Amino acid sequence: MKYLILLLPTFTLLSVIESYITSNSNSTYKYKRIIYNKKVVDEKYFVAPKYKLAACTVHKSFSAMLTSILCYLDMENIFTKKYNHLANFTFRFKNCVNKKNNRLGSFGELIQIHGKGNRVNFLKTWKVIMVVRNPIERFISGFVHLCYTHKVKHYKQFCLGCGKNYKCFVNRLYNILTSGYKSTLHGYFQTKAHFYPQTLQCNYLKNKNKFVVLKFDPKNLDFFYKSLEEILIQQHVPPDKVEYIDKEIRTYRIKHSTTGKAKTIEFIEKFYKERGVLKKLIEIFYNDFKEFGFEIPKV
């Protein structure tokens, strides 16, 4: 049980976030869109073929738990022997994440392998999930987890040589993303996966009409959970498995979740006082806000 974190701290975190977003109806700051019609970030799909379910995972947007669900559905016996809870899952579970034809690098590959090349039938019978979240919350989660609280492997590259300095990080990320396609494309692959806009993940502009997009919103988690449950039911996942998954995701969090932790609250208290940083992040993620209908903070 030491690896499991109850969901109750979510509400503490939300109250802190909301207290630091200051509305200003007179703001005239104009935001530009950072958008490319070409692939920027490598796609990563996981599947549960028995139920014709797949997901394009977006880091810091419920990605580990979503992959855990698919691995559980794909190899229940092996999964439950290794893990007591879905939240115990890590990407080191090679039986699943490295299983042949289980981790794919494009939507075309997904159709070719699991749809036998029949695009029309695949799109009719399969559900491919993409989970997105508020871009600022996603940034906070990623930065606190990877740069602010501890040093991950390749820390210098991951955090753009800025360490815990989020002002430095945001400025460098902004410069990368506004310096043209080549600059954006050649970023460190882990930085791209964790911090680039969600509209640049999953080859989104090309694939957007093929996804079932779910919004992970800590202020309305019940709606998110019910939406995911509905997809599982539509794909004929047995009721006992749906019930188990629903209970697990409502009760436990993945170990590296940052929600409600002291370091996250400490970071937020500093972060939302820096309006210049927030403005740059809004510009970086402007297309995410518009595409997925998240409210843009007024600063």
Side-chain angles (χ1 to χ4, degrees), residues 62-128:
F62 200 70
S63 58
M65 187 65 89
L66 186 56
T67 308
S68 178
I69 291 168
L70 292 171
C71 287
Y72 163 73
L73 291 174
D74 187 49
M75 46 177 59
E76 180 183 357
N77 291 336
I78 296 173
F79 188 98
T80 53
K81 283 180 182 178
K82 185 172 180 63
Y83 300 121
N84 292 326
H85 296 279
L86 294 179
N88 291 138
F89 167 85
T90 76
F91 285 101
R92 298 188 189 94
F93 183 37
K94 303 303 182 185
N95 289 38
C96 178
V97 298
N98 286 350
K99 181 182 175 183
K100 185 179 180 181
N101 296 334
N102 196 50
R103 177 177 176 168
L104 303 173
S106 72
F107 209 105
E109 196 176 2
L110 196 60
I111 292 172
Q112 190 61 38
I113 292 172
H114 293 288
K116 304 294 188 288
N118 188 330
R119 182 179 183 277
V120 173
N121 186 62
F122 180 89
L123 294 177
K124 279 184 179 179
T125 57
W126 278 67
K127 291 282 192 300
V128 183

Side-chain angles (χ1 to χ4, degrees), residues 3-265:
Y3 298 106
L4 305 177
I5 300 170
L6 292 176
L7 296 178
L8 293 175
T10 298
F11 301 103
T12 303
L13 175 64
L14 288 174
S15 63
V16 173
I17 289 175
E18 289 172 354
S19 69
Y20 280 94
I21 295 180
T22 305
S23 295
N24 180 1
S25 58
N26 295 320
S27 175
T28 57
Y29 193 85
K30 301 297 182 184
Y31 300 106
K32 298 179 293 185
R33 289 183 180 235
I34 296 172
I35 190 165
Y36 296 102
N37 292 320
K38 304 173 186 177
K39 183 189 288 193
V40 173
V41 184
D42 290 340
E43 298 165 74
K44 187 162 55 178
Y45 296 88
F46 292 98
V47 298
K50 181 178 179 180
Y51 302 108
K52 293 183 169 58
L53 265 173
C56 183
T57 54
V58 178
H59 283 288
K60 309 313 296 181
S61 295
F62 200 70
S63 58
M65 187 65 89
L66 186 56
T67 308
S68 178
I69 291 168
L70 292 171
C71 287
Y72 163 73
L73 291 174
D74 187 49
M75 46 177 59
E76 180 183 357
N77 291 336
I78 296 173
F79 188 98
T80 53
K81 283 180 182 178
K82 185 172 180 63
Y83 300 121
N84 292 326
H85 296 279
L86 294 179
N88 291 138
F89 167 85
T90 76
F91 285 101
R92 298 188 189 94
F93 183 37
K94 303 303 182 185
N95 289 38
C96 178
V97 298
N98 286 350
K99 181 182 175 183
K100 185 179 180 181
N101 296 334
N102 196 50
R103 177 177 176 168
L104 303 173
S106 72
F107 209 105
E109 196 176 2
L110 196 60
I111 292 172
Q112 190 61 38
I113 292 172
H114 293 288
K116 304 294 188 288
N118 188 330
R119 182 179 183 277
V120 173
N121 186 62
F122 180 89
L123 294 177
K124 279 184 179 179
T125 57
W126 278 67
K127 291 282 192 300
V128 183
I129 300 167
M130 179 182 178
V131 176
V132 298
R133 73 187 293 188
N134 180 289
I136 303 297
E137 291 175 8
R138 177 173 173 256
F139 170 80
I140 291 171
S141 176
F143 192 82
V144 170
H145 173 214
L146 301 165
C147 301
Y148 191 72
T149 57
H150 66 280
K151 292 185 177 181
V152 293
K153 191 176 181 180
H154 305 301
Y155 176 73
K156 187 173 181 179
Q157 291 170 286
F158 226 131
C159 303
L160 302 180
C162 294
K164 297 169 64 172
N165 187 333
Y166 62 91
K167 297 179 192 177
C168 166
F169 182 92
V170 170
N171 284 331
R172 290 186 178 178
L173 182 64
Y174 178 86
N175 289 338
I176 290 169
L177 288 166
T178 56
S179 295
Y181 177 71
K182 285 187 178 180
S183 169
T184 303
L185 181 65
H186 293 147
Y188 179 55
F189 77 101
Q190 289 283 27
T191 305
K192 289 162 64 175
H194 287 80
F195 293 106
Y196 276 24
Q198 291 160 110
T199 42
L200 296 184
Q201 310 287 334
C202 299
N203 206 0
Y204 177 77
L205 288 184
K206 179 180 179 181
N207 296 324
K208 60 186 288 186
N209 294 326
K210 305 165 193 165
F211 293 136
V212 179
V213 177
L214 300 181
K215 292 170 68 173
F216 180 81
D217 182 0
K219 295 184 286 296
N220 194 6
L221 282 175
D222 186 61
F223 180 79
F224 171 76
Y225 295 144
K226 285 179 178 176
S227 298
L228 181 57
E229 181 182 355
E230 187 177 321
I231 291 171
L232 298 177
I233 293 169
Q234 288 173 359
Q235 296 308 103
H236 307 294
V237 176
D240 61 318
K241 290 181 173 56
V242 174
E243 184 178 349
Y244 170 75
I245 291 168
D246 186 62
K247 182 179 178 181
E248 287 283 304
I249 62 178
R250 288 175 183 271
T251 308
Y252 304 109
R253 281 203 178 276
I254 293 287
K255 180 184 176 182
H256 63 250
S257 170
T258 59
T259 301
K261 292 184 177 178
K263 282 288 185 182
T264 307
I265 295 170

